[in-house]
Amino acid sequence: MIEFVQQPNLAIGSEAALEQLSKKESVKVLVLSDSHGNPHIMQSIISSFGVLCDVMCFCGDGIFDLVENLEIGFADPDFCKKIPPVIYFVKGNGDNSTSTIFTDKRIPITVPEFQEFTLAGKKVFLTHGHRYGVYYGTENLRNEAIERGCNVVWYGHTHVPNSMRTHFTKDGKREFLGILNPGSCAQARGGMPNTFAIVDINTEEEKTVCQYFRITWDRYGEPIFAKMPTPRGEIRLF
């Protein structure tokens, strides 16, 4: 069960949960982005998939939705058990740089522009993407990740899901880089459905494994989550 505290590395969760996460050789990650004022779809995703995951990463533009779900978790122990024990998140271009979680006390949080952390031996760069011109492609984002020595990049902003795998050479060594946008869970673009992703990372594997899910609704307005093929290749909106 998640603890409502922000650690020095700006993740939300207990110190014990972060320590346990750092020792895992296999990590399952719920990656979502761009909820844009729809906390209910985020709640539905967490209710269905959160308990299966070790960590949740939110790529921005919906921090208030994330905060609302944490407040719901505080009031509802059953839902709280489904929230992954560690949450990393970043500021989107539509988010504030600070927020507050109201539980039985006021918990101020800082919303970082980016996050760097390690999961199962892979260094992750988490960002919204708007500062890297991702509407025009991921070259700047790729270069930033390589400069930071990261193996994995998760970003949002475009509202279009895509996943790319590439290699680069640094200091004479061949390195793997995976770039993933989970799409928007609430306001899809480019003819795509609303989407999110679950990523498996393993210390023994060079590549990460990703499963995308599309979101539709039944006749009663309840969300339906269905697996979909991973959207591959570069995305350029302009």
Side-chain angles (χ1 to χ4, degrees), residues 134-156:
V134 293
Y135 281 162
Y136 301 92
T138 59
E139 181 179 0
N140 293 336
L141 185 61
R142 177 183 182 275
N143 291 339
E144 180 74 12
I146 292 172
E147 182 66 26
R148 292 175 179 273
C150 294
N151 311 105
V152 178
V153 184
W154 295 327
Y155 75 104

Side-chain angles (χ1 to χ4, degrees), residues 7 17 46 68 74 118-119 155 158 165 181 209 215 232:
Q7 297 296 329
I46 292 171
E68 182 170 333
F74 178 78
T118 300
L119 299 176
Y155 75 104
T158 65
R165 295 172 175 174
N181 187 324
V209 177
I215 307 168
R232 300 287 187 191

Side-chain angles (χ1 to χ4, degrees), residues 1-201:
M1 182 181 295
I2 191 168
E3 291 187 20
F4 304 96
V5 58
Q6 188 170 35
Q7 297 296 329
N9 70 349
L10 302 184
I12 292 179
S14 68
E15 184 177 349
L18 280 169
E19 182 179 358
Q20 184 178 19
L21 183 64
S22 70
K23 296 177 180 178
K24 284 182 172 289
E25 296 182 353
S26 178
V27 176
K28 190 178 291 289
V29 191
L30 174 60
V31 186
L32 63 159
S33 188
D34 293 278
S35 55
H36 283 279
N38 193 333
H40 305 297
I41 191 61
M42 184 183 292
Q43 183 180 2
S44 295
I45 293 169
I46 292 171
S47 293
S48 296
F49 297 92
V51 72
L52 305 175
C53 296
D54 303 293
V55 58
M56 177 172 129
C57 292
F58 183 67
C59 303
D61 271 358
I63 290 300
F64 289 139
D65 304 328
L66 175 61
V67 167
E68 182 170 333
N69 272 275
L70 292 174
E71 292 173 346
I72 292 171
F74 178 78
D76 183 347
D78 289 335
F79 178 62
C80 191
K81 293 176 183 177
K82 299 174 182 178
I83 303 175
V86 175
I87 299 177
Y88 286 99
F89 57 97
V90 291
K91 178 181 179 293
N93 57 296
D95 292 323
N96 293 337
S97 57
T98 60
S99 189
T100 304
I101 305 170
F102 290 98
T103 58
D104 55 343
K105 57 185 177 181
R106 184 178 181 273
I107 305 171
I109 60 170
T110 299
V111 186
E113 291 283 351
F114 65 89
Q115 285 274 59
E116 289 183 36
F117 48 92
T118 300
L119 299 176
K122 306 294 190 298
K123 188 175 180 182
V124 180
F125 180 49
L126 181 69
T127 183
H128 186 59
H130 59 297
R131 298 188 181 279
Y132 299 97
V134 293
Y135 281 162
Y136 301 92
T138 59
E139 181 179 0
N140 293 336
L141 185 61
R142 177 183 182 275
N143 291 339
E144 180 74 12
I146 292 172
E147 182 66 26
R148 292 175 179 273
C150 294
N151 311 105
V152 178
V153 184
W154 295 327
Y155 75 104
H157 191 53
T158 65
H159 296 211
V160 179
N162 74 300
S163 177
M164 293 178 292
R165 295 172 175 174
T166 186
H167 289 86
F168 63 96
T169 301
K170 188 172 183 179
D171 299 328
K173 184 179 179 182
R174 186 173 183 264
E175 301 279 358
F176 166 77
L177 177 65
I179 303 174
L180 179 143
N181 187 324
S184 171
C185 62
Q187 294 184 10
R189 294 174 183 157
M192 298 297 292
N194 294 338
T195 56
F196 62 96
I198 292 180
V199 180
D200 287 287
I201 304 177

